[in-house]
Amino acid sequence: MTTKPSSAPWADEPFHLITTPSTYLMDSHSYVHISSEMAHAHNVLIRGLNSILQQAPYVPTSTEKNYNAQDVKDLLFYVKSWTKTTSHHHWLEESFIFPEIEKFSGKPGLLDGPKNQHELFHGGIERLLAYASTTTPEEYRWEGVGGMKEIIDSFSKHLTDHLYAEIDVCLGMKALDSAGLKKTWDQAEKVAQQSGNLGLLYDIFPCVLGTADKTYEGGNPFPPFPWFIPYLVKYWFAAGNGCWRFNPCDWWGKPQPLAFIPQKL
Ligand SMILES: [Fe+2]
């Protein structure tokens, strides 16, 4: 269950969040752990997308009253960071996690379904990244032909359908050996973590920290970052960047009201 910080719309809609499998499956098999970790990661992406969809309509464009170029600049940087976070998640899966699980299972093509779904929204995410990277605050539009909403609408259903469907694929891993699956997952995660670089601390880390609701469904420890990372991000890597006002949670995973939404709707 989501703990909304106020009665105003929040990042748990329009696209619904995923119920974490560990909250309803009482099974010690590692497929529950894997599908729950995946659900947490997917909910991070869904909350980020919802935050954009909820708040962008309230950021005035250059032809509107109360236009503030800095707010638009911050929105575009937030969108850019979310696209990078989303692409990074799928790149990690395709590069490190899926190949290892397929090898372990002895079933080549086991994860072809999710890989093929990636293709359905990859182009849209790239278009959104290009728009957020090259559009000036004066040129920026939310509504209408060529606006940012149109780009997001072109892929958001494919993306969220995929984020929901992949949990079912993980739940299907019950057929594999539990200990072997856990070992494969842990090793692939370790290799994936080692592929990170300092640059991620400026965009992907703040995006993940600010969209991971640690109070969700009674509490969870996702993301499993070392304790000092929120401090490092808050006081150094994210400091002075107004784009993080669009995050639905604070640096410690506590839901906060969406900054650009009127709270008395
Ligand atoms: Fe995934």
Side-chain angles (χ1 to χ4, degrees):
M1 211 185 81
T2 301
T3 321
K4 274 169 62 122
S6 74
S7 56
W10 192 65
D12 53 350
E13 56 181 335
F15 291 105
H16 73 82
L17 297 173
I18 299 163
T19 304
T20 313
S22 60
T23 64
Y24 60 87
L25 287 173
M26 300 306 132
D27 191 339
S28 60
H29 191 295
S30 63
Y31 83 98
V32 178
H33 170 74
I34 287 167
S35 43
S36 300
E37 288 293 293
M38 195 61 93
H40 288 314
H42 287 192
N43 280 338
V44 153
L45 303 180
I46 295 168
R47 285 190 203 98
L49 175 62
N50 285 340
S51 284
I52 295 165
L53 291 170
Q54 293 279 8
Q55 296 182 92
Y58 295 101
V59 178
T61 62
S62 60
T63 56
E64 292 172 297
K65 228 173 77 188
N66 300 327
Y67 165 66
N68 179 328
Q70 190 60 49
D71 287 348
V72 175
K73 207 171 154 197
D74 289 344
L75 171 64
L76 290 170
F77 192 92
Y78 188 73
V79 169
K80 194 162 92 174
S81 302
W82 176 81
T83 63
K84 283 187 178 183
T85 305
T86 305
S87 295
H88 188 69
H89 173 81
H90 296 114
W91 175 74
L92 289 179
E93 286 180 342
E94 290 202 14
S95 306
F96 306 108
I97 298 174
F98 289 178
E100 290 308 313
I101 290 180
E102 285 191 346
K103 219 187 293 168
F104 163 70
S105 73
K107 291 180 190 158
L110 177 73
L111 295 159
D112 275 355
K115 270 188 272 182
N116 293 337
Q117 287 163 6
H118 288 175
E119 294 308 310
L120 295 174
F121 57 81
H122 182 72
I125 298 259
E126 287 296 307
R127 273 200 308 284
L128 184 59
L129 172 62
Y131 183 89
S133 307
T134 60
T135 305
T136 65
E138 286 71 31
E139 292 166 341
Y140 165 79
R141 295 290 176 269
W142 173 245
E143 297 282 355
V145 179
M148 197 163 74
K149 183 174 186 297
E150 186 187 66
I151 302 174
I152 295 176
D153 288 348
S154 74
F155 70 82
S156 57
K157 172 103 173 56
H158 286 309
L159 170 66
T160 48
D161 281 352
H162 160 72
L163 296 174
Y164 301 139
E166 197 173 271
I167 303 304
D168 292 333
V169 172
C170 294
L171 292 172
M173 290 179 192
K174 188 179 182 167
L176 303 174
D177 170 65
S178 177
L181 179 61
K182 175 83 168 58
K183 203 169 150 206
T184 306
W185 174 265
D186 288 347
Q187 276 170 355
E189 264 204 327
K190 211 170 181 182
V191 176
Q193 275 162 15
Q194 284 161 358
S195 74
N197 60 62
L198 207 62
L200 306 185
L201 282 156
Y202 287 99
D203 43 32
I204 294 183
F205 272 62
C207 185
V208 171
L209 283 175
T211 50
D213 175 3
K214 284 189 188 279
T215 72
Y216 185 55
E217 294 170 323
N220 68 83
F222 188 88
F225 292 159
W227 65 269
F228 58 85
I229 289 289
Y231 293 93
L232 206 59
V233 167
K234 178 175 179 179
Y235 293 109
W236 186 261
F237 292 98
N241 189 339
C243 94
W244 305 118
R245 292 178 293 162
F246 288 92
N247 264 335
C249 300
D250 68 14
W251 299 121
W252 284 268
K254 187 167 168 275
Q256 59 190 10
L258 296 178
F260 287 81
I261 281 209
Q263 288 302 303
K264 284 193 180 139
L265 283 179

